[in-house]
Amino acid sequence: MKLIADFIEANLDVLVRRFAEAARRLESTQGLKPSEVISTLPEYLHAVAAICRDGATPERLETRSRLEEAHINLRLRVGATQEDATDEYTLLGRLIPQLWEDVQPEQKPGAAGLQCLFQQLEEAMDHVVVLFSGYSMEDRQREKRFLRQMDAMAPRWLEPRADPQGPLRPLVELIVRAMEATGAELFLVDASGRRMLPVAHTGNPAPPPSRSVDPQGPSFLGRVARSEEPLVLAQARGLEDSVREGLHTPGWSTLLGLRLWPHGDLMGVLCVGFAEARPVPPQTKRFLETLVEYLSGILDRALLLGQLREANARLEASETRYRLASQAAADTVWDWNLLTGEVAWSGETRRLLGFAPEETGAVVDWWVSRIHPEDRERVRRGIHAAIQGTQARWQDEYRFLNRQGDVVRVLDSGVILRDARGRGLRMVGAMQDVTSRWETENGHEQLLREARTARVQAVTELSQLHALLRQAPIALAILRGPAHVVALANDRICQLWGRTYDQVLERPVLEALPEVKGQGIRELLDGVRATGTPYVGHELHVRLARAPDGALEDAYFNVVYQPLHPAEIGIEGILVVASEVTEAVRARQKAESLAGTLQASEERLRLAMDAADMGSWDIEPATGRATWDARFRAMLGLPAEGEVTLDEAMRFVFEEDRRQVEHAIAEASRPGGSGEYASEFRVRPPQGGQPVRWISGRGHVHFAPDGRPVRFVGTGLDVTEHKLAEEAASQRTEFEQYLVGIVSHDLRNPLSAIILGTTSLLRRDDLNERATKAVLRIQAAAERAVRMIRDLLDFTQARLGGGLPVHCQDLELGALVRQVVEEVQITVPERVLQTSLPAKAIRGCWDPDRVTQVLTNLLGNALKYSPEGTPVAVRLREAPGSVLLEVHNAGAPIGPDLLPRIFQPMQRGAPGMDPATRSVGLGLYIVRTIVQAHGGTIDVTSTHEAGTTFTVRLPHGDAKQAPGA
């Protein structure tokens, strides 16, 4: 099989090109782009070659199945039918053998390689059937059409010993036309059951005679006879003799065979041949199964009717012979029912014994009483011993008393009919007057024995035929007369009806099955009886009361109502042949419902994408071939028609953004990655003068088992309006922050000059008290302005630079806290500041200036928002891996709505600007920024009972430097 794999890979480009050219001529591909026609064909052929070369591992089968599903789903989306999809795989199976017609013999793949290839293609077509949910309406209508034609051609009966070629050849030729095949041949099992003989064939010349096949042998026909499924022989030419046994296949390249298995026993085999090498799609196999199943029913019914006709003819002939022989031999014929004890005597009793028919007793006791007393006990013991034993015949010679009481010497013989367990059911015999035996023995005795034997054999065969019908696995019934009385019903049809044998036998069908009244069954039966035309019902719907509680349930049957005529088998009525197909119908209905649900889901997805104004794409990374929907083409400015590859589409992306998009695709396609793709980019306006459009793309890359990217699908959304709004907001914020930074920086110089000037004035000795107070007020106001400017500069640095810089150094935190508290205490001597410090020094790496700024802001905040008569507490303590700095005040609690945003800029504990400090609400924002720059956190709790506590957690280790520090 390595040759077939190497051949496929060596000719991959040629195969793809020829497939595209041939598929373009199919109606189902009209209007499709070249990429849609080719679909996943190159990857699929690689997968098939790998399986044929190295074997069917789970990973390779999964890859092949995924590629098949992608191709079939594409066909579903473009409105192809199931037959369209399977025709493409059939086309592929024809193209590959055509390529090696001119190849050297040693390079041509062998039968095993061809079988492997066709097996892959057939499994792909099975996949098509699964995804398309079974037969289409067109398939079912075509099936019904050929079944009607088969029924019209069906022979009414087949004589067991007649040549079946004449009546069966039209049926086989019809199957060849239905299958679009080259020819076919039908084999039936012979009477021994050990060989199969050809009985019907098509085409000329006629096959050689004296052929037969062993059903258990290694031949192709033998394997078909043992297989439950249709078998395909991909290459019928050049077969070994053991495989060719029985075959006559002139010009046939591919064979398809299926056994006839009507009721659990092999009836025969049908072999269909095709001239060209080709895979056999699952629809063809299923169609053949339907045709062969129907052919089996036709043959089974015709053979049964032929046996009934032959048995009835033999019975009539034997009765005629027996009547003539009896009349000639002056015999009295009797028929003894061993179950009831009743005995029936023939009309010859009067002539032989002098008794009229009405004078003979109806039970066996009358006969016993007329036996001579000396012979009576011996005769009774002998006949009962024969009945209770196993023998089939009884005979005795004894004396019998006629009507006048005279002794007549008779020779009495009888044949015992038994059931399957050997129990005697019936005994048929003849009583012959042998008083003048020596004169008449040579003339009449032999004729009488032959007639008697023929009658017994006919009765036996008829009983066996009835027993066969009762035990047949196929559902059979015979309805007699205009009331359609159930004359015969086997176990299988009683099971389908949900009744016992005693509940239906000798009852009109509407009395046995009252629930079918009004369902049209009576009308169908009356029509068959009136016209003499058989009725063939496919999936006939009937509601039956088969449940124990009598509830009606829906059931579906394939039925045949075959009229019976007295001239044919001696019975006037209708033969009913039925098989239940309820499960198959329900499975098909469920599949059709699932197919409708899938179509509805796809429609909902399409509507959702329409509502979201989203476009989509489907790209093959290996080839760059891409499918773009109309909306995404409009977004990107692509042409409305024609194939556009990924590289061609990238030219519509802004050159500045192209590298970013290519990088995002490469990252998503990287083996071992997540496969997720996300990118926002600008596209070039398709016409000059139009605004630039922003596209947000989201997608996913699908990988093969070996890690190769095989499919890239995604959606695009036009986010131009959002990007424009975002850009405007960003420019506004940047301008505001830039303005604040400029203003803060430019105000700092004059304020520094004011503070320097006030400091110099305060050093003079000639200032009076009033002037000193004025200078101090100027100095305090300037310092507040400096603090505000510092906060504004820190705020600008944090927002524009991404954080505040910190310069860590080894620091004893307790000493720093004590120093800051003392400095603040000097400024507010009227307030009480409480300090709680650990006895052990706490050392770490922190920025002393920034920590001082944090504590100063928190203390100022606590003093500002707490009553003057309440203390403000500062606590420093160690925690695992960090230190905790807490500032507590007993002021009014912070509102619950403000707590979540207390650390945001321009937020204050009370609305508006502080009239005393002129604060703008940047202090806590700067505190949090400094703490985060150290790698720490800050939290706040505030209740009416416990007051307000700010908790700063700082790590012991190195502080985290902010970007740009």
Side-chain angles (χ1 to χ4, degrees), residues 338-407:
L338 299 179
L339 299 179
T340 64
E342 296 177 350
V343 179
W345 298 85
S346 70
E348 298 301 316
T349 306
R350 179 189 297 273
R351 184 167 56 182
L352 179 65
L353 303 174
F355 293 99
E358 62 270 18
E359 293 177 325
T360 59
V363 294
V364 72
D365 291 341
W366 177 84
W367 166 70
V368 174
S369 67
R370 305 300 300 180
I371 300 175
H372 193 280
E374 294 179 1
D375 299 336
R376 185 178 301 157
E377 190 61 29
R378 173 182 58 81
V379 173
R380 183 164 54 186
R381 283 199 308 268
I383 196 168
H384 282 291
I387 293 172
Q388 295 170 4
T390 60
Q391 61 197 78
R393 294 177 178 274
W394 166 83
Q395 187 180 65
D396 203 350
E397 185 177 321
Y398 57 89
R399 291 166 290 175
F400 195 83
L401 302 177
N402 63 12
R403 193 175 188 279
Q404 289 75 28
D406 297 330
V407 175

Side-chain angles (χ1 to χ4, degrees), residues 11 23 146 238 895 897:
N11 296 273
F146 280 104
D897 58 330

Side-chain angles (χ1 to χ4, degrees), residues 671-700:
S674 65
E676 297 299 327
Y677 163 80
S679 179
E680 291 185 351
F681 53 89
R682 292 166 295 175
V683 297
R684 186 194 316 275
Q687 298 177 359
Q690 295 187 0
V692 173
R693 308 301 296 174
W694 277 91
I695 305 297
S696 175
R698 297 292 185 272
H700 186 82

Side-chain angles (χ1 to χ4, degrees), residues 749-814:
N749 291 332
L751 288 174
S752 298
I754 293 173
I755 293 173
L756 182 61
T758 56
T759 301
S760 300
L761 288 174
L762 289 174
R763 291 175 181 170
R764 294 178 59 177
D765 298 331
D766 56 348
L767 290 178
N768 56 29
E769 182 178 356
R770 181 178 179 183
T772 300
K773 289 181 178 181
V775 172
L776 288 174
R777 283 197 297 272
I778 294 172
Q779 187 180 44
E783 289 175 351
R784 283 197 300 273
V786 169
R787 285 196 299 273
M788 291 175 62
I789 292 173
R790 184 190 63 191
D791 286 350
L792 287 172
L793 290 174
D794 284 345
F795 170 71
T796 303
Q797 175 68 27
R799 295 298 288 265
L800 294 180
L804 291 177
V806 293
H807 304 283
C808 296
Q809 61 188 55
D810 184 57
L811 180 66
E812 203 283 292
L813 192 57

Side-chain angles (χ1 to χ4, degrees), residues 875 885-889 939-943 946-951:
R875 293 186 291 271
L885 176 62
E886 298 175 343
V887 178
H888 172 267
N889 72 83
D939 299 300
V940 58
T941 60
S942 183
T943 64
T948 300
T949 302
F950 286 86
T951 303

Side-chain angles (χ1 to χ4, degrees), residues 78-393:
V78 300
T81 66
Q82 174 181 309
E83 187 173 0
D84 296 334
T86 53
D87 284 346
E88 292 182 359
Y89 286 106
T90 304
L91 172 62
L92 188 60
R94 292 174 177 171
L95 289 174
I96 295 175
Q98 290 174 2
L99 281 179
W100 65 61
E101 291 180 353
D102 299 327
V103 175
Q104 295 298 323
E106 63 273 13
Q107 297 178 348
K108 289 185 178 181
L114 189 61
Q115 185 73 26
C116 177
L117 170 64
F118 283 175
Q119 179 181 352
Q120 308 306 310
L121 296 177
E122 289 169 7
E123 289 175 0
M125 289 185 278
D126 287 338
H127 204 164
V128 172
V129 173
V130 171
L131 292 183
F132 274 84
S133 303
Y135 265 9
S136 66
M137 179 60 71
E138 180 182 348
D139 294 328
R140 290 196 289 274
Q141 292 299 105
R142 175 168 169 262
E143 179 181 284
K144 291 179 181 178
R145 182 173 70 252
F146 280 104
L147 292 182
R148 286 197 302 270
Q149 295 181 30
M150 288 183 68
D151 191 69
M153 294 180 178
R156 297 182 65 83
W157 63 80
L158 288 175
E159 300 292 347
R161 285 172 291 279
D163 182 9
Q165 169 73 8
L168 295 187
R169 179 169 180 171
L171 289 173
V172 177
E173 290 175 340
L174 178 62
I175 292 176
V176 169
R177 292 199 303 274
M179 300 291 294
E180 299 179 357
T182 304
E185 189 163 16
L186 177 64
F187 294 77
L188 293 183
V189 175
D190 64 5
S192 69
R194 293 190 294 271
R195 305 292 292 181
M196 295 190 301
L197 304 176
V199 297
H201 58 83
T202 64
N204 289 307
S210 304
R211 290 179 298 135
S212 66
V213 182
D214 181 5
Q216 302 298 323
S219 67
F220 173 70
L221 295 177
R223 290 194 296 114
V224 172
R226 299 189 299 275
S227 173
E228 296 181 1
E229 303 292 334
L231 291 187
V232 177
L233 186 62
Q235 180 55 262
R237 297 189 176 97
L239 298 176
E240 298 178 0
D241 292 342
S242 60
V243 180
R244 287 183 51 84
E245 182 188 15
L247 286 174
H248 178 67
T249 58
W252 295 0
S253 181
T254 299
L255 301 183
L256 174 62
L258 181 62
R259 69 182 182 181
L260 282 69
W261 191 265
H263 42 74
D265 292 319
L266 178 66
M267 176 183 284
V269 164
L270 179 68
C271 182
V272 180
F274 301 90
E276 72 279 4
R278 51 169 288 186
V280 180
Q283 300 102 312
T284 303
K285 293 181 181 178
R286 178 171 173 180
F287 190 25
L288 180 64
E289 289 177 330
T290 301
L291 296 175
V292 168
E293 180 182 2
Y294 204 73
L295 177 63
S296 301
I298 289 173
L299 294 178
D300 195 44
R301 183 170 71 249
L303 289 172
L304 285 174
L305 290 176
Q307 292 173 3
L308 280 171
R309 178 182 173 88
E310 186 179 42
N312 187 66
R314 287 200 303 270
L315 180 59
E316 289 182 354
S318 67
E319 288 179 343
T320 300
R321 289 195 304 270
Y322 198 87
R323 184 174 64 254
L324 295 174
S326 298
Q327 292 173 356
D331 281 1
T332 291
V333 179
W334 49 269
D335 191 341
W336 181 10
N337 189 327
L338 299 179
L339 299 179
T340 64
E342 296 177 350
V343 179
W345 298 85
S346 70
E348 298 301 316
T349 306
R350 179 189 297 273
R351 184 167 56 182
L352 179 65
L353 303 174
F355 293 99
E358 62 270 18
E359 293 177 325
T360 59
V363 294
V364 72
D365 291 341
W366 177 84
W367 166 70
V368 174
S369 67
R370 305 300 300 180
I371 300 175
H372 193 280
E374 294 179 1
D375 299 336
R376 185 178 301 157
E377 190 61 29
R378 173 182 58 81
V379 173
R380 183 164 54 186
R381 283 199 308 268
I383 196 168
H384 282 291
I387 293 172
Q388 295 170 4
T390 60
Q391 61 197 78
R393 294 177 178 274

Side-chain angles (χ1 to χ4, degrees), residues 33-66:
K33 297 183 290 295
S35 61
E36 294 176 328
V37 174
I38 296 173
S39 184
T40 60
L41 179 61
E43 294 80 9
Y44 174 77
L45 289 174
H46 277 301
V48 169
I51 291 174
C52 289
R53 178 190 296 111
D54 304 317
T57 64
E59 292 78 12
R60 297 189 184 101
L61 292 177
E62 192 278 334
T63 300
R64 189 200 67 190
S65 177
R66 177 178 47 74

